[in-house]
Each structure stands twice: as structure tokens, then as C-alpha cells.
Amino acid sequence: MHPFPLRYVDGLPRPPRSLVMGVLNVTPDSFSDGGRYLDPARALEHGRRLVADGADLVDIGGESTRPGARRPSEDEELQRVLPVIEGLAGDGVLVSVDTMRARVAEVALGAGAVLVNDVSGGRADQEMLPMVARLRAPYVLMHWRAHAEEMSRHTSYVDVVEDVAAELAEQLEVARRAGVEPGRIAVDPGIGFSKTADQNWAVLAGMARLHDLGHPVLVATSRKRFLGTLLADERGEPRPPGERDDATTATTALAAVAGAWCVRSHAVRSTADAVRVASRWAAASSEDPARA
Ligand code: PMM
């Protein structure tokens, strides 16, 4: 048997494995792919490549959330993401929009996006949750404490796993009161957001506590700094983002075994392989429980 019952988000596909969300940042400054896909034609080409590699969803973002990043204006953000969303959704690709702004999310949904991925969990823009409720949009509610320029100052926890779970539960209640249907919400512990490297590992190891919230869980570790820190060289220099994909594959496989509903990744081919391996392994365990 799978160690956790796989949970799904209403309105999205339900394969017998974790979904794979490919990352497409249309920004000048994201930490690993910033500046590469600002040209819509290149972004579209890359989005199609992510799908060919096995992405179930392509997550399109126009605002970098790297620590210290400057926020673009709303119009700037829309200009970046809209042509890419229209192009990929027009091809039949399942597109999610990575935004903290209600208006950007609403326009993106109108252009064919099927999921709102809000790293602020509705805290950055008070209009977000009522809009998501009104349009009955599937929604990722991430654990978030502050915008990128100040999040490294908000890493104080009594017990990081319990505190993240409690803050997610509070925000789930805010979403419910705004009228968002619980069946349409996934939660995300926000790896790297207001968390130190050690706190990220603790949260990953505490996934069972997140499952207690009763919602599908998204896990996004791809190329993040805590992996660079783990794999630092003998002088203590972190491994650069472009050389963290093997570690991402490992965290992805472990997250899938721990029951992640969805894993978010830049390197989709290896991530898609990892979730299939994890799912087949779990199925074999259920075929022969005595030996599992
Ligand atoms: N991390 C980034 C961006 N979007 N969305 C979710 N749901 N969870 C995350 O942890 C997350 C995210 C960080 O930036 P990136 O796009 O360069 O990976």
C-alpha cells in the first residue's frame, strides 16, 4: 500500500502517482533560470520541452521570489506571463500561474490557466482568496511569512514542523471563510521561504504532520539553496543551482514516497522518472505487504 492515501485536487488530473509541475520563470532574476525565458518565443519553446519531458503541469511565474528580489509592477508581471500562458494553454497544456496578485491570477485564469499557485497563501493580496472562491479555481496555498526582500529575517520558530502546520491551518481557515472549496486547495510548506537549511530538512522529514491537515501536499525543492549548502565543496562554497538536479531527483523521489500530491521541478525528465520509480516501488510493496 502507498504509505499515505494519495489525495487529489478537484478539477485536476488524478494519476496514481505524484503530479509533476515543471517550472517556467519568465523573469530577469530568478535564482536558477532568470533571464533565459523573457522572450515569449523562447519561453513557449521551453514550456513545450517541459511537457515533452513529462510535466503534467507547467507553472508560469513572472515574479522572482529569490531572497532580496525587487517586485515587478502588476502590469510588468502580466506582460511577462500572459503571452506564454495563452500560447501554452492554446496548445492544450495544463498551465498554473505562479503569482501572489489576484488580478494577475484572474487574468491568467481567463487566458486558460487551470491552477493558481500563490506562494503567499493569500496573505500578500487580500483580493486573492475571494477571487479564487468566485472563480472556483484550484489553488496552492503555500506557507509564507514575508516578501522576498525580508523573508530571511522571519525564520524564528518554536518547533518548525508544528509551527508551519499551524500557520497553514490558520490560512486554510481564512480561505474557507472566503468561500474557497476545501477540495480545491493543496498546501505547500514553502521550502526555502523564511526557513534556514536545517528548518527545510526538518519540514521535509515532518511531512506526515502536513498530511494531517487533510489536503494534498505540494513539495518544491528544485535547485534550492539548502541543497547547495548540503553539497558544498571542501572550501564551503555552495554547489551552484545548475548542478543541483541530481539532488533534486533524490528529494523528489523521497517526497513522492512520503505521499506528495505534486512535485515542482526545473529538471522535469529526471523528476518524472523519479515519481514513476517511487510509485512503482509503492505498488510492489502493496502487492507483497509481508515483505514491504
Ligand atoms: N518556490 C519558488 C517559486 N514558486 N511555488 C510553490 N508552490 N512552492 C515553492 O516552494 C516555490 C514556488 C522559488 O523559485 P523558483 O521558481 O526559481 O524555483
Side-chain angles (χ1 to χ4, degrees):
M1 226 194 49
H2 207 274
F4 295 96
L6 269 173
R7 291 199 177 89
Y8 296 102
V9 172
D10 291 348
L12 294 178
R14 299 169 173 248
R17 56 168 172 78
S18 311
L19 286 170
V20 175
M21 174 185 271
V23 179
L24 179 48
N25 287 318
V26 193
T27 61
D29 55 350
S30 287
F31 76 96
S32 96
D33 55 358
R36 292 178 64 180
Y37 309 116
L38 263 178
D39 168 28
R42 289 192 65 186
L44 276 172
E45 185 186 304
H46 187 63
R48 293 184 183 122
R49 151 77 34 212
L50 294 174
V51 174
D53 283 349
D56 299 296
L57 292 152
V58 175
D59 189 38
I60 301 175
E63 173 176 357
S64 169
T65 49
R66 75 187 281 169
R70 180 193 71 81
R71 298 202 72 191
S73 72
E74 191 167 277
D75 285 341
E76 213 176 337
E77 189 184 345
L78 262 174
Q79 275 165 20
R80 290 177 186 172
V81 296
L82 202 54
V84 188
I85 293 173
E86 283 170 344
L88 285 178
D91 284 359
V93 174
L94 296 184
V95 167
S96 81
V97 59
D98 185 342
T99 185
M100 295 183 250
R101 289 179 166 132
R103 190 167 81 89
V104 174
E106 183 162 2
V107 174
L109 290 166
V114 297
L115 170 68
V116 176
N117 175 25
D118 176 5
V119 299
S120 84
R123 298 188 62 202
D125 182 343
Q126 299 309 306
E127 303 300 319
M128 180 66 98
L129 294 170
M131 185 282 294
V132 166
R134 182 164 42 84
L135 297 188
R136 305 188 66 214
Y139 182 68
V140 175
L141 185 157
M142 199 188 84
H143 175 259
W144 185 86
R145 286 182 159 184
H147 282 289
E149 63 268 24
E150 50 176 288
M151 67 182 172
S152 59
R153 291 200 299 276
H154 293 83
T155 59
S156 170
Y157 299 88
V158 176
D159 172 328
V160 69
V161 178
E162 283 306 322
D163 293 357
V164 167
E167 288 169 34
L168 281 171
E170 257 171 51
Q171 205 56 23
L172 281 167
E173 181 53 25
V174 176
R176 199 194 57 73
R177 273 190 265 116
V180 183
E181 292 164 50
R184 295 194 188 266
I185 308 177
V187 294
D188 177 343
I191 298 300
F193 288 79
S194 293
K195 292 168 196 78
T196 64
D198 288 348
Q199 288 166 343
N200 289 319
W201 290 112
V203 166
L204 289 173
M207 272 244 325
R209 178 69 187 85
L210 297 179
H211 286 298
D212 291 345
L213 295 168
H215 288 261
V217 178
L218 186 148
V219 178
T221 56
S222 188
R223 297 184 182 169
K224 287 196 174 168
R225 185 191 304 204
F226 77 121
L227 298 176
T229 305
L230 177 75
L231 304 173
D233 65 18
E234 61 281 359
R235 284 170 295 129
E237 281 299 314
R239 178 85 64 85
E243 296 170 33
R244 298 173 190 166
D245 286 341
D246 294 338
T248 301
T249 309
T251 52
T252 294
L254 291 165
V257 168
W261 157 71
C262 182
V263 288
R264 182 178 179 278
S265 175
H266 302 82
V268 162
R269 194 156 194 270
S270 53
T271 297
D273 288 355
V275 301
R276 282 164 178 78
V277 167
S279 153
R280 187 64 190 89
W281 186 307
S285 307
S286 70
E287 285 154 16
D288 190 358
R291 290 176 199 263

